[in-house]
Amino acid sequence: MKELFETIFLLASIQGALLAIALFFRKENHTANIYLALVIFALSLELITAVYYSKGWYLTHIHYSGLTYPIPLTYGPLFYFYTKHLTKKQNTFSLKNLSHFIPFISVYILIFPVFFYPENEKIAFVQKMISSNQPAIYDFVEMAIPVQGLIYTYLVTSLVANYNINIKESFSFIERINLSWLKYLALGMIVCWSIVAISYIMDLFIDLNNSFNIALHVSVSIIIYSVGYLSLSQPEIFIKPSEGENKEEKIEKYKKSGLDKESAETIKSKLIDLMDKQKPYLDSELTLNKLAEMLSVSSHHLSEVINSSIGKTYYDFVNEYRVEEFKRKLIDPSTSNYNLLSIAFDSGFKSKTSFNTIFKKYTNKTPSEYKSSLTYK
């Protein structure tokens, strides 16, 4: 069984290395994907290291030992910067960002003298580390690693949640550009860090026989394969979502926008007229910028009008029109031979999932239930 897991971990590490190369050269979200490539490469090194010690390779190749020891301290910061760049919260890497890697650098400084130990002393030191008989400072490091990881995972989850709320200010479709998949990835990271923390605490009292290490590395393997599919299917996001603001902050910002009440009413009137007559919402990829161009107004002023004068997010404003269009088409004799999904697509919806979710939000009924209710009237 041990050999089976070692083979799985080696294959996953190779997969991770290939994925890291693919991400590094991917044009979409290029800067963000460089960070993710580094995360995946680091996770791959973790799996290779696990096999290195499991097979006892350190006994014959001892000078490779310890090279990857501090690398887990880079997972959190790299994952965090990946998310910040993907959500357009940050576009460049500044020198102050290096502060996030101080723990990583500090641990390398701590273990640096070990690299110069004679071979027999280094083997003895590594065996002490494996048997959890290491100096107390290493106990602190190994406990700090999962704590740091959980902190960064929380930061990533907060960024994603905030982003998924704010894209509704610019997009009428969010299925392919939301980052909900990152929340699930973050959940996977929480599982991994929790396993590390629990295994460390339990190992102080009982011999776990590496069972938790196997669980940890199986989780890492699953994460590598999951990221391979999810990250490569993430499209480029060209519009920066508005910064997270509460209602009071938005009101204060709009006061300084220079848009007076009369101009706002004019834009609102033009907007409603455009939506009723030209039906731009039938374009399933209608964005705030596109709509603003059609009205010859700035996207900022249009967003202000939709939020303040109409009292809705851009996402809700457009999709409510699509729901009403669907309801009109549903009772139109010319669509009697169409199925519900075809009518939904003709009404501007982009996917079955979004259609069902949005329709139920506005009607408290599924499309099928709504159609049945019409039949019995």
Side-chain angles (χ1 to χ4, degrees):
M1 183 63 70
K2 175 185 172 184
E3 290 76 13
L4 174 61
F5 280 114
E6 288 171 347
T7 301
I8 292 173
F9 298 155
L10 278 176
L11 290 174
S13 67
I14 294 171
Q15 165 75 15
L18 294 174
L19 172 60
I21 293 171
L23 287 168
F24 191 86
F25 290 104
R26 189 170 186 246
K27 292 182 179 179
E28 291 84 359
N29 304 313
H30 182 64
T31 303
N33 281 328
I34 289 177
Y35 287 107
L36 189 59
L38 292 172
V39 174
I40 298 303
F41 185 69
L43 289 171
S44 299
L45 288 177
E46 171 70 25
L47 294 178
I48 293 174
T49 301
V51 177
Y52 169 80
Y53 288 110
S54 177
K55 286 187 172 294
W57 290 343
Y58 69 92
L59 294 171
T60 54
H61 301 83
I62 188 61
H63 294 297
Y64 294 110
S65 184
L67 291 175
T68 62
Y69 182 68
I71 285 181
L73 289 165
T74 67
Y75 301 161
L78 289 172
F79 192 26
Y80 174 69
F81 285 120
Y82 166 70
T83 307
K84 288 196 76 173
H85 279 73
L86 195 62
T87 58
K88 307 301 182 185
K89 292 288 186 180
Q90 182 172 323
N91 294 316
T92 59
F93 187 87
S94 62
L95 288 177
K96 69 178 182 179
N97 295 143
L98 289 174
S99 62
H100 291 263
F101 297 94
I102 289 177
F104 166 72
I105 296 169
S106 299
V107 174
Y108 255 126
I109 293 173
L110 171 68
I111 67 172
F112 189 71
V114 179
F115 294 131
F116 297 95
Y117 283 6
E119 185 173 319
N120 60 332
E121 288 185 27
K122 194 170 184 182
I123 290 175
F125 180 84
V126 170
Q127 288 176 333
K128 280 186 177 181
M129 295 286 288
I130 293 174
S131 63
S132 300
N133 192 31
Q134 69 265 30
I137 185 64
Y138 291 97
D139 289 332
F140 173 78
V141 170
E142 292 182 9
M143 196 60 207
I145 287 174
V147 171
Q148 185 224 44
L150 288 170
I151 291 172
Y152 275 101
T153 303
Y154 169 77
L155 293 175
V156 167
T157 304
S158 298
L159 279 174
V160 172
N162 189 46
Y163 168 85
N164 282 343
I165 291 172
N166 285 303
I167 55 174
K168 292 185 177 182
E169 299 292 350
S170 299
F171 297 89
S172 63
F173 59 98
I174 60 173
E175 287 69 32
R176 291 197 68 234
I177 60 171
N178 69 26
L179 299 178
S180 294
W181 69 272
L182 262 183
K183 288 194 294 186
Y184 296 110
L185 179 58
L187 179 61
M189 297 297 285
I190 289 174
V191 170
C192 288
W193 291 124
S194 298
I195 291 173
V196 173
I198 292 170
S199 65
Y200 175 78
I201 294 171
M202 292 184 66
D203 201 39
L204 296 175
F205 304 100
I206 59 175
D207 184 6
L208 296 174
N209 294 318
N210 291 322
S211 56
F212 270 80
N213 282 338
I214 290 175
L216 169 64
H217 294 118
V218 167
S219 301
V220 170
S221 301
I222 292 172
I223 286 175
I224 287 176
Y225 281 103
S226 300
V227 171
Y229 171 75
L230 295 169
S231 63
L232 291 176
S233 63
Q234 178 66 47
E236 179 70 276
I237 300 167
F238 294 100
I239 301 176
K240 180 177 180 178
S242 59
E243 300 292 332
E245 299 164 327
N246 58 38
K247 187 174 181 181
E248 289 74 21
E249 288 173 330
K250 284 183 177 179
I251 292 173
E252 187 62 31
K253 181 184 73 174
Y254 290 149
K255 285 180 180 178
K256 301 175 182 178
S257 71
L259 184 66
D260 57 58
K261 187 174 182 179
E262 184 179 346
S263 298
E265 285 300 316
T266 300
I267 293 174
K268 178 181 176 181
S269 178
K270 288 172 62 178
L271 172 62
I272 300 300
D273 188 60
L274 177 72
M275 298 295 281
D276 289 339
K277 293 180 179 178
Q278 297 188 34
K279 300 185 177 182
Y281 53 83
L282 297 180
D283 175 4
S284 63
E285 297 189 350
L286 183 68
T287 65
L288 180 71
N289 279 3
K290 283 184 182 179
L291 193 57
E293 288 176 6
M294 295 177 73
L295 291 166
S296 298
V297 300
S298 73
S299 58
H300 177 76
H301 283 164
L302 178 58
S303 177
E304 179 179 346
V305 168
I306 294 173
N307 278 273
S308 298
S309 299
I310 299 177
K312 297 175 182 176
T313 64
Y314 172 77
Y315 178 84
D316 288 333
F317 174 73
V318 173
N319 281 301
E320 190 170 4
Y321 272 93
R322 289 171 178 163
V323 168
E324 294 304 316
E325 182 71 16
F326 173 86
K327 290 160 71 173
R328 285 193 294 271
K329 288 182 182 295
L330 190 61
I331 60 175
D332 188 336
S334 65
T335 65
S336 58
N337 294 325
Y338 291 14
N339 61 41
L340 295 179
L341 192 56
S342 295
I343 298 174
F345 288 157
D346 286 344
S347 301
F349 289 100
K350 194 175 178 66
S351 71
K352 180 180 179 180
T353 302
S354 63
F355 165 57
N356 288 332
T357 302
I358 293 167
F359 190 85
K360 188 164 186 178
K361 174 182 177 180
Y362 288 109
T363 65
N364 291 319
K365 295 179 181 179
T366 66
S368 298
E369 289 171 345
Y370 182 80
K371 183 178 180 180
S372 297
S373 70
L374 295 178
T375 302
Y376 291 109
K377 283 184 179 179

